[in-house]
Amino acid sequence: MAGRQAVKAYLDLVSQACRAMLIFLKHNKIPHTVENIAIRKGQHKTPAFTKLNPMQKLPVLEDNGFVLTESDAILKYLATAYNVPDHWYPKLPEKRARVDEYTAWNHTNTHINTSSIFLHEVLLPCMGQPTNPENFEKVLADLDGTLDKLENMFLKNQPFLCGDDISLADLLAVCELIPTCLSSHGLEMDILKDRPKLLSWRNRVQSALSDSFDEAHSVVYQIREKFTAKLSPC
Amino acid sequence: MAGRQAVKVYLDLLSQPCRALLIFLKHNKIPHTVELIALRKGQQKTPEFTKLNPMQKVPTKLDICGFKNCNYCYYDAILKYLATTYNVPDHWYPKLPEKRARVDEYTAWHHVNTRMHASTVFLQEVIFPMMGQPTNPAKFEKALADLNGTLDMLENMFLKRQPFLCADEISLADLLAVCELMQPLCSGRDILKDRPKLLSWRNRVQSALSDSFDEAHSVVYQIREKFTAKL
């Protein structure tokens, strides 16, 4: 890796995928610089950023001229190119397939459902838009279904989602499942609060990631504090 | 691979990812047996199938030599696993990290773009009327607009400077995409007809896949005949 420059990460830490990427870079001590792109200020739609990523989405990785989007692809590329411990993205095909399975499922399950909760509980009220209780009931039911599957199909009786060791799957999932905010009733909303198995799993993952986890989540903790102080998070 | 049994796949050929899987197996001559599941008859919800795949989704692959646990593999995980384990030509899922990352990039994007939008158009135009459900013109217009946006991205970004989505040669990305973009054809709707760049791409992909493509898509052609005969 002589002469190789640090990778550049374009991030907004409000985004779960961006947090996952930052944690991975820090935890594995991959040399990197961070360029903060504020979605709420429309910085992902500037001509310069659009030239970098016409999809206008985050995160984006730039590695010595190689530009890559989509958090799954970025994490898998980093795991391969930077020679991190095998458990993150195992080389053995059967073990790797389990991680690929989770990352594929994450898109249309964990991610969509947790994003809907955030939308209803934080973004819509923030924008002064009314929330729809019926819609919200459905969103909660969908999320419940996702959490059932996480427990019973992925986690089962193993300590991590894809086996005995932490992998990219746990990293992506945990960033979706931290307690983000207070509900509109002023109660702390931890969607895992009645699920001891998933709570234990989350603690295990947080322990494995230690400081890099808290650093990446500082923005989310700040939003939560503003809610606690009953100030607008916007 | 001596002593290794054929893989067994559970498929419904009306499902786009199932067709992709079947084409991949046939094209690469990977020994396999197929068990057909009819999603519309609810066969994926039977106790036997649920035991195999608690997610009640197809395709599901059971490698009776390799996997110890029940399989609930998601379709792109299955294709990537097969490409790795069965030593297919490198272009399907290249080993070089930068090239592989391009395929991973597309397959990630695919879930909530190509697949989501092409499926929605198909569901609203073909499946809902078949099930006697009312159609919603406003929703359908939106579905078409979303799909158009996806097609713009495919043309202007993935196919910008190269003959296939991720490189100069066909890969898993093209296979997944083409099966999704064939689905609206069930109603006779060719979503690529005014897009010469994508039409050329589709022709290239079909040529590369030859017989296995048409075999897998026979059910789509049959539905199209029935659908257009009714009009």
Side-chain angles (χ1 to χ4, degrees), chain A residues 106-117 176, chain B residues 112 116:
Chain A
N106 187 60
H107 281 283
T108 47
N109 290 274
T110 321
H111 179 66
I112 281 193
N113 294 329
T114 53
S115 297
S116 299
I117 296 278
E176 304 279 356
Chain B
V112 290
M116 188 172 273

Side-chain angles (χ1 to χ4, degrees), chain A residues 19 23 110 114 143 147 150-151 155 158-161 166-167 169-181 188-210 213-214 217 220-221 224:
Chain A
R19 295 197 294 271
I23 291 170
T110 321
T114 53
L143 181 63
L147 296 179
L150 270 176
E151 272 193 36
L155 206 54
Q158 47 196 17
F160 294 97
L161 291 178
I166 194 172
S167 72
D170 303 281
L171 177 56
L172 283 167
V174 82
C175 291
E176 304 279 356
L177 295 173
I178 52 149
T180 46
C181 53
E188 180 172 84
M189 203 166 114
D190 185 348
I191 47 186
L192 299 188
K193 72 173 165 41
D194 298 320
R195 293 179 178 261
K197 202 171 181 180
L198 285 175
L199 281 170
S200 303
W201 161 79
R202 191 174 66 195
N203 287 340
R204 267 193 297 280
V205 175
Q206 273 183 253
S207 295
L209 298 171
S210 55
F213 186 90
D214 283 333
H217 282 85
V220 175
Y221 298 154
R224 198 167 58 183

Side-chain angles (χ1 to χ4, degrees), chain A residues 57-58 71 98 121 140 220:
Chain A
K57 290 213 187 299
L58 293 167
S71 54
R98 290 286 173 227
E121 285 293 291
L140 284 177
V220 175

Side-chain angles (χ1 to χ4, degrees), chain A residues 86-102 158 161-165 167-169, chain B residues 66-67 69 73 77 81 84-85:
Chain A
D86 187 68
H87 60 76
W88 284 110
Y89 193 43
K91 290 192 182 53
L92 195 68
E94 285 83 357
K95 287 191 170 188
R96 178 165 287 202
R98 290 286 173 227
V99 180
D100 283 340
E101 202 169 47
Y102 179 79
Q158 47 196 17
L161 291 178
C162 298
D164 290 333
D165 275 312
S167 72
L168 296 180
Chain B
F67 283 75
N69 303 317
C73 283
Y81 171 80
T84 310
T85 314

